[in-house]
Amino acid sequence: MKYLFSVLLIALSCFAVKAQPTIIAHRGSSFTAPENTVASAKLAWEQNADAVECDIYLSKDNRIMVMHDGTTKRTTGETYKFPETNSDVLRKLDAGSWKDQKYKGEKIPFLEEIIATAPKGKKIVIEIKCGPEVFPVLKEVVSKCKKKKQLIFIAFDWQNILIAKKMFPKNACYWLSSSAADVQAKLPEVAKNRLEGVNLNNKIIDEGTVKKAKDLGLEVLAWTVDDPQEAKRLVQLGVTAITTNRPDLIRESLQ
């Protein structure tokens, strides 16, 4: 019996070492495909990502659009600000050609379109880039969504992530930060407000930060990691999810 117990402990130990973190595709598989597009999301699923992260803004006519920047200049070549522009204008822009001509005609997606790509069992991580004005519309979009349980919310803005947690209490919510000092000061509040954890710039993640978070019952997620060796370091520290532009590479390197 003692021998069998020892064997079981060794087996469990091996399983723990081999446990895979959640792989989150940063703006989709954005190393290859144009970021924050349906094409990028679909490629991430083909590469076996566990989740796709996207960024949202609210257009002038109250449609939630998927884009990282506050203007459309970098990825479309034309400059429009979301709060000042209706969605029909934004949808005419080419958000794919800047990456590769084979993606010519990719539109700036509606949030609903990105959510619709998610296969069963996969997640959509929604980063709230704009202000609280988005929440009434976001609530409506989520209420009509058949994949509500597959949604996760993240935000740098502290009040935004608290609103998200209050509005969607059954969905995981994580506070984003790239400041080590802010994280150390804020971790108790993250736990007090029943957030699931923190989503941190990989450069500020160390053993002490992960331990403090775990002692408070919090997860630590990391962004944005395209280096396999860095991914392995983070996994060894106990990071539970890694956001990457290259989900295929990071997945393969951790197997």
Side-chain angles (χ1 to χ4, degrees), residues 9 11 33 38 47 63 76 80 82-83 92 97 106 115 129 141 151 155 177 192 198 222 225-226 248-249:
L9 285 177
V38 169
Q47 295 174 342
R63 294 300 303 271
T76 72
Y80 291 94
F82 290 92
K92 292 176 182 177
S97 293
E106 279 292 317
I115 294 173
K129 301 292 286 186
V141 169
L151 305 182
S177 182
K192 181 180 178 180
V198 289
V225 182
D226 294 337
D248 52 345
L249 174 66

Side-chain angles (χ1 to χ4, degrees), residues 5-176:
F5 183 71
S6 298
V7 170
L8 179 60
L9 285 177
I10 292 171
L12 289 172
S13 176
C14 290
F15 177 80
V17 169
K18 294 179 181 179
Q20 289 278 306
T22 297
I23 303 297
I24 304 172
H26 184 232
R27 310 176 198 172
S29 186
S30 56
F31 179 80
T32 302
E35 64 182 63
N36 276 324
T37 62
V38 169
S40 188
K42 288 182 175 179
L43 181 58
W45 303 133
E46 291 173 13
Q47 295 174 342
N48 198 29
D50 299 304
V52 161
E53 182 261 359
C54 65
D55 309 279
I56 62 169
Y57 282 93
L58 190 66
S59 70
K60 184 179 179 180
D61 58 337
N62 288 326
R63 294 300 303 271
I64 299 179
M65 312 297 294
V66 177
M67 174 75 68
H68 177 269
D69 300 356
T71 77
T72 60
K73 175 65 175 177
R74 180 172 60 85
T75 59
T76 72
E78 300 185 51
T79 303
Y80 291 94
K81 296 180 180 180
F82 290 92
E84 301 173 2
T85 313
N86 286 334
S87 59
D88 61 341
V89 175
L90 296 167
R91 293 280 285 177
K92 292 176 182 177
L93 303 178
D94 177 0
S97 293
W98 71 277
K99 192 72 172 180
D100 192 300
Q101 278 300 307
K102 70 180 180 180
Y103 294 111
K104 183 178 180 179
E106 279 292 317
K107 298 179 185 298
I108 300 174
F110 293 125
L111 176 59
E112 297 95 317
E113 292 176 309
I114 297 295
I115 294 173
T117 70
K120 185 177 180 180
K122 304 289 188 175
K123 302 288 186 180
I124 297 291
V125 180
I126 301 169
E127 180 176 346
I128 302 160
K129 301 292 286 186
C130 52
E133 69 276 1
V134 75
F135 283 103
V137 185
L138 185 58
K139 184 177 182 180
E140 184 178 354
V141 169
V142 172
S143 69
K144 294 177 180 179
C145 171
K146 296 180 180 179
K147 300 182 179 184
K148 180 178 179 179
K149 293 181 179 179
Q150 294 174 247
L151 305 182
I152 293 170
F153 299 95
I154 59 176
F156 281 97
D157 186 275
W158 178 246
Q159 293 304 318
N160 273 354
I161 200 61
L162 293 187
I163 295 170
K165 190 60 186 175
K166 185 176 180 179
M167 185 170 285
F168 310 113
K170 295 183 179 180
N171 293 78
C173 295
Y174 300 87
W175 176 56
L176 288 160

Side-chain angles (χ1 to χ4, degrees), residues 192-208:
K192 181 180 178 180
N193 285 279
R194 301 184 181 277
L195 301 180
E196 276 63 32
V198 289
N199 193 350
L200 307 179
N201 184 316
N202 67 290
K203 296 176 183 178
I204 69 168
I205 298 176
D206 57 23
E207 185 177 1

Side-chain angles (χ1 to χ4, degrees), residues 219-249:
E219 293 180 70
V220 177
L221 285 58
W223 53 271
T224 301
V225 182
D226 294 337
D227 176 22
Q229 290 305 120
E230 174 64 1
K232 291 175 183 177
R233 179 187 79 88
L234 294 167
V235 171
Q236 289 173 353
L237 288 178
V239 166
T240 58
I242 293 175
T243 303
T244 175
N245 299 306
R246 308 188 68 175
D248 52 345
L249 174 66

